Structure formats: C-alpha cells, structure tokens
Amino acid sequence: MKSERKAEIIAVGSELLLGQITNTNAQFISKQLAEIGVNVYYHTAVGDNPERLKKAIQVAQERSNFIIFSGGLGPTKDDLTKETIASTLGKELVLNEEAFESIQDYFRKTGRDMSPNNRKQALVLEGSDVLVNRFGMAPGMFVQEDDTFYILLPGPPSELHPMFENEAKPLISEKLGLKEKIVSVVLRFFGIGESQLETDLEDLIDAQTNPTIAPLASDGEVTLRLTAKHEDEKETERLLKETEAQILARVGEYFYGYGETSLVREASKALHEHGKTVAAAESLTGGMFSEWLTDLEGASSILNGSVVCYTNQVKQQVLGCREETLSSHGAVSKECALELAEGVRKLTGSDIGISFTGVAGPASQEGQPVGKVFIGLSTKDQTDVFEWMFTGSRSGIRKRAVKYGLHHLLTLLKES
C-alpha cells in the first residue's frame, strides 16, 4: 500500500442526487474507517449512469487508494456498479455459487418465483473476496489491484452496516497487516459549545498522538471520539481511561453519556433508576417532550401524563395558572413557567413537573423576542425556572428547548 491511506466513498444512485434519500452510508463508512486508521478524503455521489460512474472511478484512482462503493448491486437494469467497475478494471463477472444458492433459498422460503434478473445479483468480480450478505441478496466484493483496494457494498443501510462491520472491516485489517487493537469511545456533552470545549481542552488536543481526540458538533451537542491503538488490548483500555479522566476533570459538568445515547435516553434511564415519575406542561413545545420520551421503551412507568397548554384558557382551567400571573407577566414569563410546572406535577401526582413556554416565532409575543424560552422544573421541595435565549428556525428553537429541558431534568436527577 502507499504510505498514506486515502479513502474515497462513491455512492451510486440517482435517488441520492434527486434528494429522495440521504446518504447516511457515507457517514457510517467514514466512522468505521477512521477507527482502523484509514482517512476518508472524498465523498462522491453519482447517478445510475455508466459513463459518469466510470469517470468518477478514474478520478478516484488518481487520488485515492481505498475506493468504496455503495449501491448499484441490485437486479435491475439501472444497477450497474459492478458491471462498470469490471469494465474499468478489465475484469470478468463470474457467478458465485454460494451467493446464488442463498438467493435461490430465499425465494424457496418465501414461496416466490425467482425472476431471471435475480441471478445477476450473484455475479461477482473475478478474483474478488466475496463479502457475505446475511440480510439481503446481493453479496459485496473486495478487490485489490496493485496498491488500491476496491470495496463494493449494497445500498440499503440494513445490509451495508453489518456487511461492513462483520466482513469488510476485518478483511481490511488483515490486508493491511494491522496487529494493533484499535478501540474508540465516544463522550457526549451538552450545554457547552464546540469552540469552548476545544479551548478548554486545547493542550490535550494539540498533544494528541495515542489516543487521538476528535471533536464533533451535532445539533446543539458536542461529542469527542477518543481512539487508542496498541497490540495489548488492556493497554488500549488504559490509554482511553487515562485520557477520558483528563477530559472529564476539566469539562465533566457537561458530560452526559457514551456512544450513541441521547439526552432523552439518559433522562429516561435516570428516571427509571431513581424510581421517579414526570409530567409535562407544554406550551411552546406542543407535546414534543412527551413524544420523545414515549418513543422509548418503558415510558409508561416514568411519564404520568402531559398537557399541551397552548392557550391561556387551558393554562388557567387545567393547570391552575393564575389569571393575575398571565395578565401581569404574560404567558411567556418566569412566573407562568413556575406555575405550569407546579400545576402539572400536582394534577398528575408526579414526582417532577416540567414546563415549556416561550416564543418560537416567526414574530415576537407579549414583548418577548423570538427565541426567548422559560423552562420550569418542579418537585415537592422546590421549583426552579431556567431562562434561555435561542436562535434559529421555529422548529430549531422548539427542539433546543426540549433538549435543554431534558438536560435540566437529568441534572436534577443526578443531584438527587
């Protein structure tokens, strides 16, 4: 291989260019390759056109030594990925008996007739390592030509993800002769911006070698991916724990979880662990907090109920918000948020009441600017109100309000 591993992902499918689907496969593959020390330099998307795909391959050959394809391995006429690659590399397509038997078996089990074009899915590049597809029909392929790797993967994420993790990734490591154990851990933070996090950890990031520290901002949150490598797995683990401890010593107050978790999942987990129930009074958020919570399993044992209190009438008649409060301070106020949180807690007999009121836009309300948000949090011992000023779209402001509400709820449960 060339000394530097430069990877390019070519996603094949006109539906990508038409905006009909999102190219999540490229994101997934990039993360997986980073874990084994292969850097992705380019993401390319090309339609179902053999000439344009061939041109994309030729461009990739000039600048990359890992070329990974997703999509275009199906049975239809516009699935031309392997045919075009075969033509470009001067290789034949041959029938893979194992893949063909698997396809035939699928049709036997489902009681359907196999059409002739399904045989096409069992054709593979001659001399390739075949990547078994355990969740679909089209096998993947791994081809090494001189110092360049070509990896062909199916388009559906449900097929691509397990194929890459279980088949392609170990094969890449074997071909590269990687003896080191490469392990990553993802730390998730909320309530601190990416720039501030990087400033607080600047010397650690600048000095990174092993483990490496990679910050990533996403939808109001910040994640850090720590990646360590060593032949001794225990030493890899020690390196990760040591770096994690240094990071949390500085910004631990913003840390809330590991890996692919989320604020709502961590809040749900904390409610279960503490044996607490919550209820929500949602004006600004219109039920979004409750929706997120009920998307998770076991929500019935932690969420007693919620009230979407968009009008002042509902705020007063259902949740007991005083007319004086609304007339003197308005619905978008600290005072209203406090009474809503207390009201919904008492109404539902919950341990915790949470309320959301604010201005999502597009126009100001009651003299309050777009983005002004009040979040109330009530227990039998005390009620606190948090005031925030968010920017962005109407939808974005509402989502950020829910995330901050979950953050405050999680903090309350951790401190209890």
Side-chain angles (χ1 to χ4, degrees), residues 34 37 180 182-183 202-214 225-230 239-240 242-243 246:
E180 296 173 317
I182 301 175
V183 182
E202 186 173 11
D203 59 318
L204 296 179
I205 295 173
D206 288 345
Q208 64 177 315
T209 52
N210 187 26
T212 58
I213 305 171
R225 177 180 288 272
L226 314 183
T227 303
K229 52 188 176 181
H230 199 277
L239 289 167
L240 287 171
E242 183 179 276
T243 304
Q246 291 177 307

Side-chain angles (χ1 to χ4, degrees), residues 68-113:
I68 301 100
F69 301 85
S70 66
L73 302 183
T76 61
K77 290 183 179 179
D78 60 356
D79 291 310
L80 296 170
T81 297
K82 59 190 172 188
E83 289 83 355
T84 307
I85 295 171
S87 172
T88 305
L89 298 182
K91 288 185 173 291
E92 296 291 328
L93 287 173
V94 296
L95 184 72
N96 181 266
E97 294 293 347
E98 185 179 348
F100 189 46
E101 176 57 33
S102 177
I103 293 169
Q104 289 176 308
D105 188 53
Y106 168 82
F107 281 98
R108 281 195 296 266
K109 287 178 178 177
T110 57
R112 296 163 54 196
D113 293 328

Side-chain angles (χ1 to χ4, degrees), residues 329-330 332 359 363-370 372:
H329 303 285
V332 183
V359 186
S364 60
Q365 181 182 333
E366 298 177 347
Q368 297 282 20
V370 173
K372 175 64 72 175

Side-chain angles (χ1 to χ4, degrees), residues 284 333 337-338 341 354-357 373-377 384-388 390 400-406 408:
L284 166 78
S333 66
L338 185 150
I354 188 168
S355 66
F356 300 88
T357 184
V373 171
F374 294 92
I375 301 170
L377 206 56
D384 296 305
V385 177
F386 305 90
E387 180 178 346
W388 292 100
F390 300 139
R400 291 191 71 186
V402 173
K403 285 194 171 188
Y404 271 86
L406 290 164
H408 294 312

Side-chain angles (χ1 to χ4, degrees), residues 221-233:
E221 301 184 30
V222 186
T223 62
L224 290 178
R225 177 180 288 272
L226 314 183
T227 303
K229 52 188 176 181
H230 199 277
E231 290 188 18
D232 184 344
E233 197 167 346

Side-chain angles (χ1 to χ4, degrees), residues 176-334:
L176 292 176
L178 298 178
K179 296 180 180 178
E180 296 173 317
K181 301 292 183 183
I182 301 175
V183 182
S184 291
V185 62
V186 172
L187 311 180
R188 306 190 75 91
F189 300 85
F190 187 82
I192 183 172
E194 182 183 21
S195 58
Q196 185 59 55
L197 186 77
E198 288 194 33
T199 298
D200 291 346
L201 304 175
E202 186 173 11
D203 59 318
L204 296 179
I205 295 173
D206 288 345
Q208 64 177 315
T209 52
N210 187 26
T212 58
I213 305 171
L216 176 67
S218 173
D219 199 19
E221 301 184 30
V222 186
T223 62
L224 290 178
R225 177 180 288 272
L226 314 183
T227 303
K229 52 188 176 181
H230 199 277
E231 290 188 18
D232 184 344
E233 197 167 346
K234 289 184 178 178
E235 178 62 12
T236 304
E237 187 176 335
R238 187 195 68 78
L239 289 167
L240 287 171
K241 286 187 177 298
E242 183 179 276
T243 304
E244 179 185 328
Q246 291 177 307
I247 291 169
L248 296 185
R250 302 187 189 186
V251 292
E253 64 184 293
Y254 304 104
F255 170 75
Y256 77 84
Y258 295 94
E260 297 302 311
T261 191
S262 61
L263 282 165
V264 67
R265 188 166 288 280
E266 291 301 313
S268 173
K269 189 191 305 181
L271 285 164
H272 282 289
E273 289 173 353
H274 287 79
K276 300 291 186 183
T277 56
V278 67
E282 302 194 60
S283 179
L284 166 78
T285 51
M288 187 183 292
F289 172 88
S290 305
E291 179 190 4
W292 287 13
L293 209 54
T294 53
D295 275 343
L296 303 178
E297 63 282 354
S300 59
S301 61
I302 56 172
L303 179 67
N304 279 354
S306 66
V307 177
V308 177
C309 48
Y310 232 61
T311 66
N312 285 353
Q313 183 181 12
V314 174
K315 290 179 176 69
Q316 288 180 254
Q317 295 181 2
V318 178
L319 295 172
C321 188
R322 296 179 301 158
E323 183 178 358
E324 178 186 347
T325 298
L326 295 169
S327 59
S328 300
H329 303 285
V332 183
S333 66
K334 176 179 180 180

